[in-house]
Amino acid sequence: MTKTAAIIGGGVIGGGWAARFLLMGWTVNVFDPDPEAPRKIGEVLDNARRSLPGLTDRAMPAEGQLNFVETISAAVTGADWIQESVSERLELKQKVFQTIQEHCPADAVIGSSTSGFKPSELQGCATRPEQIMVCHPFNPVYLMPLVEVVTTDKNSSDLTDKAKAIVAEIGMYPLHIKKEIDAHIADRFLEAVWREALWLVKDGIATTEEIDNAIRYGFGIRWAQMGLFETYRVAGGEAGMKHFMAQFGPALKWPWTKLMDVPDFTDELVDLIADQSDAQSGAHSIRELERIRDNNLVAMMRALKAQDWGAGALLNQWDGTPSAPDLSGAVKTVSRAVPLDWTDYNGHMNEARYLQAFGDATDRFMEIVGCDAEYIATGGSYFTAETHIRHIDEVHAGTRIHIETLCLEGAGKKMHLFHSMFDGERLLATGEHMLIHVSLETRRASEPSAAIATKLAAIAAIHADLPRPDGVGKAVGVKG
Amino acid sequence: MTKTAAIIGGGVIGGGWAARFLLMGWTVNVFDPDPEAPRKIGEVLDNARRSLPGLTDRAMPAEGQLNFVETISAAVTGADWIQESVSERLELKQKVFQTIQEHCPADAVIGSSTSGFKPSELQGCATRPEQIMVCHPFNPVYLMPLVEVVTTDKNSSDLTDKAKAIVAEIGMYPLHIKKEIDAHIADRFLEAVWREALWLVKDGIATTEEIDNAIRYGFGIRWAQMGLFETYRVAGGEAGMKHFMAQFGPALKWPWTKLMDVPDFTDELVDLIADQSDAQSGAHSIRELERIRDNNLVAMMRALKAQDWGAGALLNQWDGTPSAPDLSGAVKTVSRAVPLDWTDYNGHMNEARYLQAFGDATDRFMEIVGCDAEYIATGGSYFTAETHIRHIDEVHAGTRIHIETLCLEGAGKKMHLFHSMFDGERLLATGEHMLIHVSLETRRASEPSAAIATKLAAIAAIHADLPRPDGVGKAVGVKG
């Protein structure tokens, strides 16, 4: 059954939540009195539609339905998840929770996007405090996995578990903080760095651009994959974490940060920073910067996905196990959206990515016949000896594609496959591939296991009765 | 002429410098009284050799010569660059600089890897203070681009310019800080975050693993590409940087960080962190973690390279312009090392990456005949219609490969190419490609410009006299 999310407050953060739920197939009810809300959320949704579906390697569900509603009660009635993203004013939030709880189911999760308030403060004068928790996301919500889920003793474990399960289901990571603290975890770090950065700009040590470069050419790239402690563990080398701390420890006593002072937030400082930021980034509009950012995030997260690490490992977990294949005809081996990082200067999917998709199709077909990771670990695998690709039609980022695979021959050491890539009914490309079973020890051709041979023969026998597609056995430049 | 770097102090940082200079073709003299230094530097060098050469898309120079020497004078005599990475003790560093300056050329750069001392402190009792500056790198030095170059009024502008030019030449980014400050820029941020993280662990709010996840699933990925200010500029949306600051500004007055206190660095706290770190990362040895980290960094930096942004844009700048091609025979279109992120679960270069390399070869050939970015912007390009790849032999990460390209036909709308990929003399694969010139407006076949047609015809005429390689015109599964 389709689930329903109520989005209370539709700015950048509320819009990001709306986009993520919607693209995950949920019905989304948005309440925001701002007449500009539909336009603003529409813009966030455009960004999400171009970047999220291709981030992972499995097809997303069909997009849910988006409703703009006039009242909080219309938004939350029957909702499974209610996300509050109104302004950071405690009395306002508490009032909104009261109205929400008058109308929403008692077993719905009520999450707050607050970056500063503690859940006990939010629960303050609530009818059912057990329902209210902090679910603090990070911009852009449709791409960043982190959600800080902060609870108190008043939250029921059932609702907390439900919240964490839903966060994971929509492709995010619930970081459960059980001991509440102002600003949770991540924003405490952001605040520490922001404060220090303001001093550096104010004191004329560095410009905003120099500070950004100091971060993104240095520790920013390290932190993106290992965070702080694991990075230092590695830096400490064989001597280990204790040794590292012994080295770094004393530096804490040195006057490296302006700890005791808060810079005055004068007009002068604001102007200085705004001017430097214009000089640094003003050549791009905010809309361009958003797209550049999303392209970068998708490309880096997909790079980590290929390494099965950090945010990329989360994506792999979300992919899960593919469902059992229907082997009565051509085998559906791939179903996915074209990711942002697969396109090139011609504006369409790059030729090498066709082969990457065909390679994924081959991997999936190998898995189906029993040549999976477990089998490969025993020392056998298939290597591609030859490939013939015909590009029939173009395809762009975001398009849902699927691949159907025929086994033309599957006997002895040979596995001869023919992949057809489609956008719906539209044929995009074909890939014909000769694979040879090899021993990973000798790196030479060898017979596959009996189990694989049997499975492969059975599929090849079924496929022998199917019509041979155009293009089989053709050479480059030869009309088919 | 081969340049010489003297590495004074050969720990993780000194070893990283040694590896980077060496892989950039420099002669490297290492002085370190530790008898373990050759082993330690050898290990850093192993890591560097597997990760750096494939990071970028141009071939690196031949590796330089590595010498371990017995004295500082033997290390620095005739050196162009001297890098000091001894322990963080000011008197020790000053003493080392005195010895260095007794023997080194007056026009050599003397860089210090210090993370805390100001250049004026380092220059304190030096014979030629103008020669000494902070050149603070980030671990792993062979991959991370950032170098904080901190100078004082005493530094000559000639030597400062020379230092910045050499830093860029070895593929790094010189961030010139002209107003010295304790800990420069980046380490002030690291210290602020480290301090706050210690509190969070000590107070039982979060474990080391939870803190790392809060960073790497959230702002770490954002900072890796845009840093702090540009990230907030985007988050501020259309209202701009001033609006963002107005929102975030007041939070500075809130008690979000433990600013006033420094946590006591007790044995108890050290043990707590070391134990949590073991639980988090103990399943991997430090050596494994180093390789995982380097794989991740290479993969993410290459992802940014494809987006031409951040650390990836630096790599593209370093690639520079390829030298003029020799058109008297087959055209050398690619010369590079196989990057870490091009290999797969079979331990060798993935099939899709062969096509990526062949696609790069095609792009380079297109450039050579005049179908470059400027021409493409006028609305014409070549699209690949068909591809036939034969995999002859395996290749692994780090191997230097090159591609030779034959133009089998280059007339009218057609460009028929045949690429051969080699490791030295060893043939790895061939790629036969039919490309069609298209109008980017109509997305249909069209004639190329007269200039391209002429250039292409001239190359095709030369190549017509060359022997046709094996495999031309073959179909999948047909013996050649």
Side-chain angles (χ1 to χ4, degrees):
Chain A
M1 215 189 83
T2 305
K3 292 181 189 163
T4 298
I7 303 298
I8 310 301
V12 173
I13 296 299
W17 278 109
R20 192 177 265 274
F21 277 113
L22 203 64
L23 292 178
M24 292 291 170
W26 287 51
T27 298
V28 174
N29 300 331
V30 177
F31 170 76
D32 191 325
D34 178 3
E36 291 286 286
R39 177 184 67 78
K40 286 184 185 168
I41 286 188
E43 284 167 2
V44 178
L45 199 47
D46 283 348
N47 281 346
R49 283 189 184 119
R50 72 183 281 281
S51 56
L52 178 60
L55 178 61
T56 182
D57 294 306
R58 80 171 197 197
M60 309 265 288
E63 200 173 301
Q65 195 188 318
L66 176 64
N67 309 308
F68 290 93
V69 298
E70 300 291 325
T71 58
I72 288 183
S73 75
V76 305
T77 303
D80 302 276
W81 185 288
I82 296 137
Q83 186 69 26
E84 170 274 308
S85 310
V86 305
S87 301
E88 288 288 90
R89 280 162 30 218
L90 187 57
E91 330 78 71
L92 173 68
K93 285 182 189 278
Q94 287 178 338
K95 198 159 157 260
V96 165
F97 290 131
Q98 280 172 345
T99 314
I100 288 171
Q101 292 200 322
E102 281 168 26
H103 302 281
C104 78
D107 65 346
V109 175
I110 304 179
S112 171
S113 302
T114 183
S115 45
F117 294 113
K118 290 179 282 210
S120 64
E121 295 171 303
L122 303 175
Q123 293 166 345
C125 36
T127 324
R128 298 184 296 271
E130 66 272 17
Q131 223 176 348
I132 299 172
M133 60 191 83
V134 169
C135 292
H136 177 232
F138 291 78
N139 189 44
V141 180
Y142 50 84
L143 289 181
M144 303 302 291
L146 184 63
V147 181
E148 290 173 322
V149 177
V150 196
T151 55
T152 69
D153 290 347
K154 291 202 174 143
N155 289 105
S156 75
S157 62
D158 277 1
L159 268 173
T160 307
D161 290 347
K162 181 179 177 179
K164 288 158 74 175
I166 288 175
V167 165
E169 188 187 312
I170 61 173
M172 302 175 89
Y173 178 82
L175 179 64
H176 190 187
I177 304 169
K178 300 177 193 81
K179 200 167 165 182
E180 64 175 14
I181 185 172
D182 288 304
H184 329 313
I185 297 176
D187 275 2
R188 296 179 72 89
F189 297 133
L190 294 177
E191 205 264 352
V193 169
W194 174 246
R195 178 191 300 256
E196 192 60 30
L198 292 181
W199 275 120
L200 289 171
V201 173
K202 184 180 162 63
D203 292 348
I205 306 290
T207 64
T208 61
E209 182 168 11
E210 287 167 340
I211 288 168
D212 282 356
N213 286 344
I215 294 172
R216 69 191 187 143
Y217 299 153
F219 64 85
I221 316 181
R222 293 195 309 216
W223 283 4
Q225 39 97 43
M226 285 190 170
L228 178 75
F229 286 99
E230 196 160 67
T231 296
Y232 285 152
R233 184 185 179 90
V234 183
E238 293 156 28
M241 199 67 194
K242 279 200 183 187
H243 169 73
F244 173 80
M245 284 189 289
Q247 277 191 309
F248 206 138
L252 282 175
K253 303 285 185 193
W254 299 348
W256 280 8
T257 45
K258 294 225 180 184
L259 297 172
M260 309 308 169
D261 283 340
V262 180
D264 277 337
F265 220 66
T266 59
D267 286 354
E268 204 184 352
L269 179 58
V270 169
D271 283 343
L272 181 63
I273 288 176
D275 289 352
Q276 288 186 357
S277 174
D278 285 351
Q280 172 186 359
S281 316
H284 299 286
S285 71
I286 295 296
R287 188 51 34 91
E288 282 169 349
L289 283 175
E290 282 174 354
R291 295 192 174 191
I292 289 166
R293 174 198 65 191
D294 291 356
N295 290 356
N296 294 340
L297 294 178
V298 167
M300 288 195 304
M301 287 164 76
R302 288 189 53 79
L304 286 177
K305 188 172 197 292
Q307 304 296 330
D308 197 27
W309 194 262
L314 292 181
L315 290 171
N316 283 332
Q317 283 166 29
W318 190 78
D319 277 355
T321 314
S323 49
D326 174 0
L327 297 179
S328 62
V331 183
K332 196 162 172 180
T333 42
V334 164
S335 177
R336 63 162 305 126
V338 176
L340 283 179
D341 63 327
W342 282 18
T343 57
D344 64 17
Y345 58 84
N346 279 323
H348 58 204
M349 185 157 103
N350 177 268
E351 55 180 321
R353 303 306 189 164
Y354 282 85
L355 185 48
Q356 185 167 342
F358 286 142
D360 290 344
T362 298
D363 284 351
R364 176 70 186 129
F365 189 82
M366 281 165 59
E367 250 178 33
I368 289 170
V369 300
C371 185
D372 52 17
E374 198 181 330
Y375 176 81
I376 290 168
T378 68
S381 189
Y382 282 92
F383 286 1
T384 303
E386 233 181 320
T387 286
H388 179 232
I389 297 171
R390 297 180 314 145
H391 295 275
I392 317 287
D393 208 344
E394 295 180 84
V395 63
H396 297 91
T399 305
R400 175 84 72 95
I401 58 172
H402 73 273
I403 295 176
E404 293 178 5
T405 299
L406 278 184
C407 181
L408 301 177
E409 189 189 357
K413 299 160 188 165
K414 284 190 183 176
M415 184 164 73
H416 188 172
L417 301 180
F418 193 90
H419 302 301
S420 300
M421 184 191 294
F422 296 93
D423 160 20
E425 301 280 300
R426 187 167 69 99
L427 181 63
L428 301 170
T430 65
E432 183 177 357
H433 308 265
M434 181 63 77
L435 290 106
I436 305 294
H437 190 276
V438 293
S439 154
L440 292 175
E441 193 187 342
T442 65
R443 312 306 274 189
R444 287 163 176 272
S446 70
E447 295 290 331
S449 72
I452 289 178
T454 305
K455 193 82 185 261
L456 197 53
I459 295 176
I462 296 167
H463 289 191
D465 293 335
L466 300 173
R468 284 294 180 259
D470 278 356
V472 170
K474 290 294 183 295
V476 168
V478 176
K479 293 280 173 198
Chain B
M1 217 190 80
T2 306
K3 292 181 191 162
T4 299
I7 303 298
I8 309 301
V12 172
I13 296 298
W17 279 108
R20 192 178 266 273
F21 277 112
L22 204 65
L23 292 178
M24 292 291 171
W26 287 50
T27 299
V28 174
N29 300 331
V30 176
F31 169 77
D32 191 324
D34 178 2
E36 291 284 287
R39 178 185 67 80
K40 286 184 186 166
I41 288 189
E43 284 168 2
V44 179
L45 198 47
D46 283 348
N47 281 347
R49 283 189 184 118
R50 71 183 281 281
S51 57
L52 178 59
L55 178 61
T56 182
D57 294 307
R58 82 171 195 199
M60 309 266 286
E63 201 174 302
Q65 196 187 316
L66 176 64
N67 310 308
F68 290 94
V69 297
E70 298 292 323
T71 58
I72 289 183
S73 75
V76 305
T77 304
D80 302 276
W81 184 288
I82 295 137
Q83 186 68 27
E84 170 275 308
S85 311
V86 305
S87 300
E88 288 287 271
R89 281 162 30 219
L90 187 55
E91 330 78 70
L92 174 66
K93 284 182 190 280
Q94 287 177 338
K95 199 161 156 259
V96 165
F97 290 131
Q98 281 171 344
T99 313
I100 288 171
Q101 291 199 322
E102 282 167 27
H103 302 281
C104 79
D107 65 345
V109 175
I110 304 179
S112 171
S113 302
T114 182
S115 45
F117 294 114
K118 290 180 281 208
S120 63
E121 294 171 303
L122 301 175
Q123 293 166 344
C125 36
T127 324
R128 297 184 296 271
E130 66 273 16
Q131 219 175 351
I132 298 171
M133 59 190 83
V134 169
C135 292
H136 178 232
F138 291 78
N139 189 43
V141 180
Y142 50 84
L143 290 181
M144 303 302 292
L146 184 64
V147 181
E148 291 174 322
V149 177
V150 196
T151 55
T152 70
D153 290 347
K154 292 206 175 139
N155 289 105
S156 75
S157 63
D158 278 0
L159 266 173
T160 307
D161 290 348
K162 182 179 175 178
K164 287 158 74 175
I166 288 176
V167 165
E169 190 187 310
I170 60 172
M172 302 177 88
Y173 178 82
L175 179 65
H176 189 185
I177 304 168
K178 299 178 192 79
K179 200 168 166 181
E180 64 175 16
I181 185 172
D182 288 304
H184 330 313
I185 297 177
D187 276 2
R188 296 179 72 89
F189 297 133
L190 293 178
E191 205 265 351
V193 170
W194 174 246
R195 179 191 300 258
E196 192 60 29
L198 292 182
W199 275 119
L200 289 170
V201 173
K202 184 179 160 66
D203 292 348
I205 307 292
T207 63
T208 61
E209 181 167 12
E210 287 166 341
I211 288 168
D212 282 355
N213 286 343
I215 294 173
R216 69 191 185 142
Y217 299 153
F219 64 85
I221 315 182
R222 294 195 308 216
W223 284 2
Q225 39 96 42
M226 286 191 168
L228 178 76
F229 286 99
E230 195 159 68
T231 296
Y232 284 152
R233 184 184 179 92
V234 183
E238 293 156 28
M241 199 67 193
K242 277 200 186 192
H243 170 74
F244 174 80
M245 283 189 289
Q247 277 190 311
F248 206 138
L252 282 177
K253 304 283 187 196
W254 298 349
W256 279 10
T257 46
K258 294 225 176 181
L259 297 173
M260 309 309 169
D261 282 338
V262 179
D264 277 335
F265 220 65
T266 59
D267 286 353
E268 204 183 351
L269 178 57
V270 169
D271 283 343
L272 182 63
I273 289 176
D275 289 351
Q276 288 186 359
S277 174
D278 285 350
Q280 173 186 359
S281 317
H284 299 286
S285 71
I286 296 296
R287 189 51 33 91
E288 283 169 348
L289 284 174
E290 283 173 355
R291 297 193 171 190
I292 290 166
R293 174 198 65 190
D294 291 357
N295 290 356
N296 294 340
L297 294 178
V298 167
M300 288 196 302
M301 288 166 77
R302 289 188 53 80
L304 286 176
K305 188 172 197 291
Q307 305 295 329
D308 197 26
W309 194 263
L314 292 181
L315 289 172
N316 284 332
Q317 283 165 30
W318 190 80
D319 277 353
T321 315
S323 49
D326 174 1
L327 297 179
S328 63
V331 184
K332 196 162 172 180
T333 43
V334 164
S335 176
R336 64 161 305 127
V338 176
L340 282 179
D341 63 326
W342 282 17
T343 57
D344 64 16
Y345 57 84
N346 279 323
H348 57 204
M349 185 157 103
N350 178 267
E351 56 180 322
R353 302 305 189 165
Y354 282 85
L355 185 49
Q356 185 167 343
F358 286 141
D360 290 344
T362 298
D363 284 352
R364 176 69 186 128
F365 189 82
M366 283 166 57
E367 250 178 33
I368 289 170
V369 300
C371 185
D372 51 17
E374 199 182 328
Y375 176 82
I376 291 168
T378 68
S381 190
Y382 282 93
F383 285 1
T384 303
E386 232 180 319
T387 287
H388 178 231
I389 297 170
R390 297 180 313 144
H391 295 274
I392 317 287
D393 207 345
E394 296 180 83
V395 62
H396 297 92
T399 305
R400 176 83 73 93
I401 58 173
H402 72 274
I403 295 176
E404 294 178 4
T405 300
L406 279 184
C407 180
L408 301 177
E409 188 187 358
K413 300 161 188 164
K414 283 190 182 174
M415 184 164 74
H416 188 172
L417 302 180
F418 192 90
H419 302 301
S420 300
M421 183 189 295
F422 296 94
D423 159 21
E425 301 281 302
R426 189 167 68 98
L427 181 64
L428 300 171
T430 65
E432 183 176 359
H433 308 267
M434 181 63 76
L435 290 104
I436 306 293
H437 190 277
V438 294
S439 154
L440 291 175
E441 194 187 341
T442 66
R443 313 305 276 189
R444 287 163 176 272
S446 70
E447 295 290 332
S449 71
I452 289 178
T454 307
K455 192 78 186 264
L456 198 53
I459 295 177
I462 295 168
H463 290 191
D465 293 335
L466 299 173
R468 284 293 180 261
D470 278 356
V472 169
K474 291 293 184 296
V476 168
V478 177
K479 292 281 172 196

